[in-house]
Amino acid sequence: MRLLRRHYGPLKLAMVGVVFVIFVFIMHKDVGSGSKDDPWLKNIVERKDQVLDMMMGAVNNIRDSMPKLQINAPMQQEEPEQKVNSCLPGYYTPAELKSFMERPPQDPNSPGADGKAFKKDKWTPEETKRKDDGFTKHCFNAYASDQISLHRSLGPDSRPPECIEQKFKRCPPLPTTSVIIVFHNEAWSTLLRTVYSVLHTSPAILLKEVILVDDASVDDFEHIGSYDDQMEIWGGENVEMSFRVWQCGGQLEIIPCSVVGHVFRTKSPHTFPKGTQVITRNQVRLAEVWMDNYKEIYYRRNQQAAKMVRERNYGDISPRLKLKEDLKCKNFSWYLQNIYPEMFIPDLSPTYYGAIKNEGSQSCLDVGESNHGGKPLIMYPCHGMGGNQYFEYSTQKELRHNIGKQLCLISKYGPGQVELKECQYKGKGTSVPGNEEWEFTKERLLKNIGSNLCLTSRGEHPSTIECNPGDIHQRWGFS
């Protein structure tokens, strides 16, 4: 847990990585059962020294670079002219890109072989208990993971043909890669299988090091700001790191041909002693440090976050602001304009926002459950929590429900129920159609420009009818 801060330096962390890999080779159950003449076992034995050299290289690299590590834009290393000219022409061959460790022969009938689902028809009481204990601790079938070989193959390459068939030029040579595995309270077999997967699938000439980082030791690599050590448990750190990398001169790359598996669990294995408000607290910290005035867009949609900010109940962020200054990071406007220019930005200062309360029914306009567009709205008792009752009356005169998707209230061109659909106005080069444009009159009517009809709370669902300023069911207010 991040609440328990431990002061492990990078050098110690890398040393832990060395011990970890040595332990893998000593304790791995599959190795002990093989013949000494097996080519894959011979490969492991021959590679053991290389693994240790690789991990010791990580130790030395981290130690030597500690005073100068920082987040900056990646720069092409200048190579001596003679080195550039010395590389061979043409493309890398499969032999040159051979993996660091050869995968041992696979038993097609073993559990999970070739990526097949783990199946077991009969369970002993002991096995059932182990399975249940695994679900309790890890929220997935850790027992099944324990039965699957650490060297398990996933079968034929399922990537698109463009990935499988691509070739790489030898000049300039491909860069070496450090693989960083972040973990915390992971099932042992799952973590080991991840390490072996790296060794079995990464080209030996490109794999520089494998670094294992315990996600609870939040002080690791603090000199480059890797983790906000006042974030608690889980939630928000991935977004914080993403903003920081981009705004401080680095970059994140999406590599479509690189495939990583992920176990989606039905619930979180993490416990929250202070309640799930710690996630909101983490998000407030990142918003306060990295989002500048755009943070108000988030606070309008999250009442718990807004309350936390008013009470200044999110901890000390001065070290993070100093980090931002020291690294000469850019502001959030730069991020939106240069990194994510295709994103639609909601109004920083909408004309009105909040719940839309009807004078006649004394209830609020509500989108209902799981309404992602195309469904009629409902009238529901006002709860003041935002969510399904949050709307913005934009500077473009739209009624936007934009918690997740950008949805707009639309009217038919004749009397009838209103509904939500994706907003047509998406910024420059687009406009608001008449049936999405609403005039909020001085009589507090919501009049649709396209249909010339007004919104009413009468009937089973909110709808539009002929405008009548005297009808209290047509009078609305933002709260």
Side-chain angles (χ1 to χ4, degrees), residues 207-306:
L207 183 60
K208 180 179 180 181
E209 57 194 359
V210 179
I211 300 177
L212 304 170
V213 181
D214 186 337
D215 199 19
S217 54
V218 296
D219 289 328
D220 296 328
F221 305 153
E222 189 173 355
H223 51 287
I224 61 170
S226 285
Y227 283 109
D228 177 350
D229 62 6
Q230 290 194 47
M231 284 191 172
E232 299 177 347
I233 313 295
W234 172 87
E237 75 279 4
N238 55 332
V239 179
E240 193 274 344
M241 292 178 72
S242 298
F243 285 166
R244 174 160 40 87
V245 166
W246 282 118
Q247 291 174 240
C248 301
Q251 63 184 34
L252 298 178
E253 295 186 354
I254 297 174
I255 312 297
C257 290
S258 178
V259 180
V260 178
H262 179 68
V263 177
F264 287 94
R265 293 175 273 208
T266 56
K267 64 178 182 178
S268 172
H270 307 291
T271 57
F272 297 87
K274 297 182 181 179
T276 55
Q277 69 174 8
V278 298
I279 300 177
T280 302
R281 180 183 181 277
N282 292 348
Q283 292 170 343
V284 167
R285 288 184 62 83
L286 78 88
E288 287 293 312
V289 174
W290 300 105
M291 294 182 66
D292 306 324
N293 290 338
Y294 292 93
K295 63 191 177 185
E296 300 301 332
I297 297 175
Y298 167 57
Y299 296 151
R300 285 199 298 268
R301 289 157 176 75
N302 190 312
Q303 298 298 315
Q304 186 182 49

Side-chain angles (χ1 to χ4, degrees), residues 139-339:
C139 296
F140 72 93
N141 194 343
Y143 174 84
S145 176
D146 293 344
Q147 307 310 304
I148 296 172
S149 170
L150 301 180
H151 303 283
R152 181 265 308 270
S153 169
L154 292 177
D157 195 333
S158 60
R159 296 177 300 164
E162 295 85 353
C163 294
I164 300 174
E165 297 166 3
Q166 67 179 330
K167 296 181 179 180
F168 303 95
K169 290 184 177 181
R170 293 192 182 102
C171 284
L174 291 173
T176 58
T177 299
S178 298
V179 178
I180 302 175
I181 301 173
V182 182
F183 67 97
H184 176 52
N185 290 347
E186 299 291 345
W188 187 242
S189 60
T190 307
L191 180 59
L192 286 177
R193 194 176 299 108
T194 300
V195 174
Y196 272 113
S197 178
V198 171
L199 300 177
H200 287 317
T201 58
S202 303
I205 62 172
L206 305 180
L207 183 60
K208 180 179 180 181
E209 57 194 359
V210 179
I211 300 177
L212 304 170
V213 181
D214 186 337
D215 199 19
S217 54
V218 296
D219 289 328
D220 296 328
F221 305 153
E222 189 173 355
H223 51 287
I224 61 170
S226 285
Y227 283 109
D228 177 350
D229 62 6
Q230 290 194 47
M231 284 191 172
E232 299 177 347
I233 313 295
W234 172 87
E237 75 279 4
N238 55 332
V239 179
E240 193 274 344
M241 292 178 72
S242 298
F243 285 166
R244 174 160 40 87
V245 166
W246 282 118
Q247 291 174 240
C248 301
Q251 63 184 34
L252 298 178
E253 295 186 354
I254 297 174
I255 312 297
C257 290
S258 178
V259 180
V260 178
H262 179 68
V263 177
F264 287 94
R265 293 175 273 208
T266 56
K267 64 178 182 178
S268 172
H270 307 291
T271 57
F272 297 87
K274 297 182 181 179
T276 55
Q277 69 174 8
V278 298
I279 300 177
T280 302
R281 180 183 181 277
N282 292 348
Q283 292 170 343
V284 167
R285 288 184 62 83
L286 78 88
E288 287 293 312
V289 174
W290 300 105
M291 294 182 66
D292 306 324
N293 290 338
Y294 292 93
K295 63 191 177 185
E296 300 301 332
I297 297 175
Y298 167 57
Y299 296 151
R300 285 199 298 268
R301 289 157 176 75
N302 190 312
Q303 298 298 315
Q304 186 182 49
K307 181 175 183 291
M308 197 172 288
V309 171
R310 288 193 300 270
E311 298 174 353
R312 300 192 64 82
N313 187 24
Y314 50 86
D316 181 16
I317 60 171
S318 56
R320 306 305 290 176
L321 293 174
K322 184 178 186 303
L323 173 73
K324 183 179 179 181
E325 181 181 357
D326 291 345
L327 294 178
K328 297 179 173 56
C329 304
K330 294 181 171 62
N331 60 31
F332 202 67
S333 293
W334 175 90
Y335 171 83
L336 294 173
Q337 294 166 9
N338 294 274
I339 305 305

